[in-house]
């Protein structure tokens, strides 16, 4: 009897869910259709939409509602709280599925190799983001004693971190932040947040909308030094060729020429300051040394040899995320991704690792917005279906849908399901309703499992 094409997707973030969507939409010619199981190490799906996107961005968090439509489909199942390879290995997956797509994203901070990076008070943005977004696997408290804080990096994550540090706890209370985060933010002493970029306004990687949003808080005075507005030929070419870069530069120019107001928290955006060393005393951060840079004509910068010390009590590096290496898959150390060709995992020999695919940040590296993972998933799925049509997928030993449930049950894995997400969702909304808020997140893994009925 013909059976559906069975596909496992490891990682239920946007890339994994878009891959499921693409499979459902593209596999119309496959008889009798496809059957997709998503494996996710967290008890809840949605990846960085839940544990990365800032809580004061409800519109972006709302993408979850659109993704519901994919997981609502009867051909799609979710197995949450299941870790690859701890709970299910590549061999296990191969025994149940015709093909496996890995979409495990990125969770950690990329390293920054400067003196003082290991001092107490030097933090990775990813850790702080995980804390304020209520990730179960990070500590429940966060030290927020510094009055002056540095954020290194000029991308959207740097803006998120700077904004959350500069807003008041009360401003963030209407969001979904859990009680421990609200308590922690109430103790935040930050009065000045200094964001540092090595290059100039034309090279900043901010999205124009995210940048402008900084100025919407009644508590944040955004300050740009007119001395930091500078362009060379390379910068002018960038602005001409990239509308977003031009909009960002225009906003920064406007902020540089206006009078400084009296909102209580100051957020400085510094350019042409290259972090050279984090300064410490008794093992603790006391400052940051930067080297002034200047444009070299091409849009790049060179050091001027002029150093400046900034008195600061904490330094957050927002210099990029990094993916975890996936056991049993090839790995490119330099890019921190799984090598691929059009989403097909490529072994060192140059051969396609049969029936194995990647999509999202684990494929492309940790850059780009949620929407970008959609096109990526479409390409990966198109190649998977091409391999299926060409008879190049392997034959699983136990393709029946029940086999994997029995396997996880025998292993004692307390997995959550899509129905379980609806229960957790309702429980978080009920928790929020008690305080007139839309949602309050559960943080403890055990609480999430209980509310999901795992
Ligand atoms: C701090 C931050 C803020 C952002 N804000 C925005 C924003 O406002 N707007 C926007 O459009 N984009 C934003 N982005 C970008 C967006 O989050 C990414 O483009 C997108 O999440 C990448 O999708 P992904 O599915 O590849 O990875 P992820 O979202 O990381 O999803 C990967 C999933 O795989 C799971 N997983 C990992 N390892 C395993 C394993 N071994 N076994 C099982 N499961 C595993 C993870 O738990 C996770 O659920 C932000 C990113 C960050 C870091």
């Amino acid at each position: 009897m013909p059976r559906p094409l069975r596909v496992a997707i490891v990682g239920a973030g946007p890339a994994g869910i878009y891959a499921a969507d693409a499979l459902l939409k593209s596999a119309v010619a496959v008889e009798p259709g496809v059957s997709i199981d998503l494996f996710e190490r967290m008890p809840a799906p949605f990846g960085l939409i839940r544990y990365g996107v800032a809580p004061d961005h409800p519109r972006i968090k709302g993408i979850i509602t659109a993704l519901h439509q994919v997981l609502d489909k009867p051909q799609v199942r979710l197995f949450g709280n299941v870790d690859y390879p701890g709970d299910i290995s590549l061999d296990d997956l191969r025994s149940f599925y015709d093909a496996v797509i890995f979409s495990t994203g990125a969770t950690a901070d990329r390293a920054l190799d400067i003196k003082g990076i290991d001092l107490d008070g030097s933090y990775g943005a990813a850790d702080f983001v995980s804390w304020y977004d209520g990730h179960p696997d990070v500590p429940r408290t966060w030290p927020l004693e510094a009055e002056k804080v540095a954020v290194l990096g000029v991308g959207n994550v740097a803006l998120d971190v700077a904004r959350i540090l500069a807003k008041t706890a009360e401003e963030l209370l209407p969001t979904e932040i859990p009680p421990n985060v609200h308590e922690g933010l109430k103790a935040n002493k930050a009065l000045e947040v200094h964001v540092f970029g090595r290059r100039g306004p034309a090279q900043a990687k901010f999205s124009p909308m995210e940048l402008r949003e900084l100025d919407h808080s009644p508590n944040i005075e955004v300050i740009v030094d007119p001395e930091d507005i500078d362009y060379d030929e390379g910068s002018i070419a960038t602005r001409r060729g990239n509308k977003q870069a031009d909009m960002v530069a225009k906003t920064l120019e406007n902020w540089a020429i206006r009078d400084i107001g009296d909102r209580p928290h100051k957020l400085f955006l510094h350019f042409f300051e290259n972090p050279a060393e984090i300064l410490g005393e008794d093992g603790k951060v006391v400052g940051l040394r930067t080297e002034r840079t200047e444009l070299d004509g091409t849009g790049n910068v060179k050091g001027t040899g002029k150093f400046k010390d900034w008195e600061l009590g904490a330094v957050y590096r927002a210099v990029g995320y990094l993916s975890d290496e996936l056991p049993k898959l090839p790995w490119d150390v330099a890019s921190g991704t799984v090598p691929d060709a059009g989403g097909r995992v490529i072994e060192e020999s140059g051969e396609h690792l049969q029936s194995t695919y990647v999509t999202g940040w684990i494929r492309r590296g940790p850059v780009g917005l949620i929407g970008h993972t959609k096109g990526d998933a479409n390409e990966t799925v198109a190649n998977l279906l091409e391999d299926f049509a060409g008879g190049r997928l392997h034959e699983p030993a136990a393709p029946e849908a029940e086999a994997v449930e029995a396997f996880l049950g025998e292993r004692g894995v307390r997995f959550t399901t899509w129905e379980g997400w609806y229960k957790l969702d309702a429980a978080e909304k009920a928790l929020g309703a008690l305080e007139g808020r839309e949602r309050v997140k559960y943080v403890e893994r055990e609480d999430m499992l209980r509310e999901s009925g795992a």
Side-chain angles (χ1 to χ4, degrees):
M1 203 171 107
R3 62 169 179 83
L5 172 68
R6 299 266 294 136
V7 180
I9 299 177
V10 181
I17 300 174
Y18 284 132
D21 190 35
L23 271 165
L24 290 170
K25 287 179 177 149
S26 326
V28 279
V30 179
E31 266 304 323
V34 287
S35 141
I36 303 156
D37 290 342
L38 283 146
F39 294 91
E40 167 56 52
R41 72 151 56 125
M42 304 306 296
F46 309 121
L48 284 170
I49 307 184
R50 186 173 163 98
Y51 292 121
V53 170
D56 56 348
H57 280 171
R59 201 179 51 82
I60 308 289
K61 296 257 184 206
I63 295 176
I64 286 177
T65 314
L67 296 180
H68 268 224
Q69 290 167 20
V70 180
L71 283 136
D72 279 340
K73 295 268 166 28
Q75 303 96 311
V76 183
R77 297 188 297 181
L78 172 73
F79 293 98
N81 201 38
V82 179
D83 179 65
Y84 171 88
D87 297 316
I88 193 158
S89 69
L90 186 58
D91 286 344
D92 298 330
L93 289 164
R94 284 174 179 284
S95 69
F96 299 121
Y97 300 94
D98 296 283
V100 186
I101 301 175
F102 287 89
S103 48
T104 45
T107 45
D109 284 289
R110 188 169 279 278
L112 180 65
D113 189 19
I114 58 171
K115 202 172 159 205
I117 199 76
D118 294 325
L119 287 166
D120 191 8
S122 160
Y123 309 110
D127 291 334
F128 182 53
V129 167
S130 294
W131 173 73
Y132 68 59
D133 251 345
H135 195 293
D137 300 341
V138 300
R140 299 293 169 262
T141 56
W142 192 273
L144 291 163
E145 283 113 33
E147 288 186 8
K148 294 183 186 176
V149 180
V151 179
L152 313 184
V154 282
N156 288 336
V157 176
L159 285 187
D160 283 346
V161 167
R163 201 179 61 251
I164 299 291
L165 285 167
K167 276 189 171 178
T168 63
E170 291 327 291
E171 232 178 321
L172 290 163
L173 184 61
T175 71
E176 61 181 34
I177 50 166
N180 69 301
V181 174
H182 183 233
E183 279 308 305
L185 290 171
K186 277 205 287 194
N188 181 10
K189 296 201 178 72
L191 295 173
E192 286 185 19
V193 178
H194 296 259
V195 177
F196 291 94
R198 195 173 62 83
R199 301 204 284 165
Q203 288 79 32
K205 299 282 177 250
F206 307 135
S207 302
M209 227 169 77
E210 279 228 19
L211 181 65
R212 283 197 301 269
E213 184 199 331
L214 277 189
D215 209 33
H216 297 167
S217 163
N219 294 304
I220 303 178
E221 195 66 48
V222 188
I223 301 166
V224 178
D225 186 340
E227 296 272 310
D228 284 359
I229 303 293
D230 195 18
Y231 308 104
D232 61 356
E233 268 180 45
S235 310
I236 293 163
T238 301
R239 288 186 65 171
R240 274 210 200 101
N242 181 335
K243 208 171 156 203
Q244 303 251 328
D246 188 51
M247 284 160 82
V248 164
K250 274 198 187 116
T251 301
L252 294 168
E253 283 166 14
N254 288 338
W255 288 347
I257 53 170
R258 69 182 177 182
D259 292 335
I260 297 173
D262 57 2
R263 298 185 209 180
H265 297 167
K266 310 290 179 221
L267 199 161
F268 297 83
L269 297 171
H270 303 286
F271 297 93
F272 303 111
E273 295 290 351
N274 187 21
E277 180 182 343
I278 300 175
L279 306 170
E281 243 173 54
D282 301 327
K284 282 200 169 101
V285 171
V286 294
L288 177 75
R289 178 165 298 156
T290 58
E291 182 184 8
R292 189 72 183 167
T293 61
E294 62 188 15
L295 288 159
D296 68 0
T298 67
N300 272 322
V301 289
K302 54 183 191 230
T304 61
K306 289 182 197 135
F307 290 87
K308 181 170 177 179
D309 289 353
W310 308 76
E311 202 185 298
L312 300 157
V315 175
Y316 291 75
R317 64 179 186 283
V319 293
Y321 270 53
L322 193 65
S323 297
D324 289 334
E325 191 172 341
L326 289 168
K328 298 281 181 199
L329 294 195
W331 187 247
D332 181 63
V333 178
S335 64
T337 58
V338 174
D340 80 296
R344 295 181 175 103
V345 174
I346 299 297
E347 293 189 280
E348 221 172 293
S349 62
E351 297 289 301
H352 176 204
L353 180 61
Q354 194 190 16
S355 305
T356 316
Y357 303 83
V358 274
T359 191
W361 275 17
I362 189 70
R363 173 185 175 198
R364 297 272 183 201
V367 282
L369 299 174
I370 295 162
H372 296 134
T373 63
K374 201 171 187 169
D376 201 33
N378 286 342
E379 188 187 15
T380 296
V381 163
N383 284 326
L384 185 158
L385 291 174
E386 195 181 287
D387 291 343
F388 171 66
R392 292 189 289 274
L393 300 182
H394 80 291
E395 183 60 37
E400 311 78 38
E402 314 76 51
V404 71
E405 272 174 295
F407 166 86
L408 292 173
E410 274 162 29
R411 284 212 151 179
V413 180
R414 287 176 69 196
F415 60 86
T416 58
T417 60
W418 182 234
E419 293 70 38
W421 159 254
Y422 270 108
K423 289 182 193 160
L424 176 63
D425 188 37
E428 289 189 339
K429 284 177 176 156
L431 213 56
L434 294 175
E435 300 175 17
R437 299 161 63 190
E438 196 178 318
R439 170 190 305 275
V440 171
K441 263 182 180 168
Y442 276 104
V443 179
E444 301 297 335
R445 194 174 273 264
E446 199 46 49
D447 291 344
M448 293 176 74
L449 291 174
R450 185 194 62 242
E451 295 302 332
S452 306

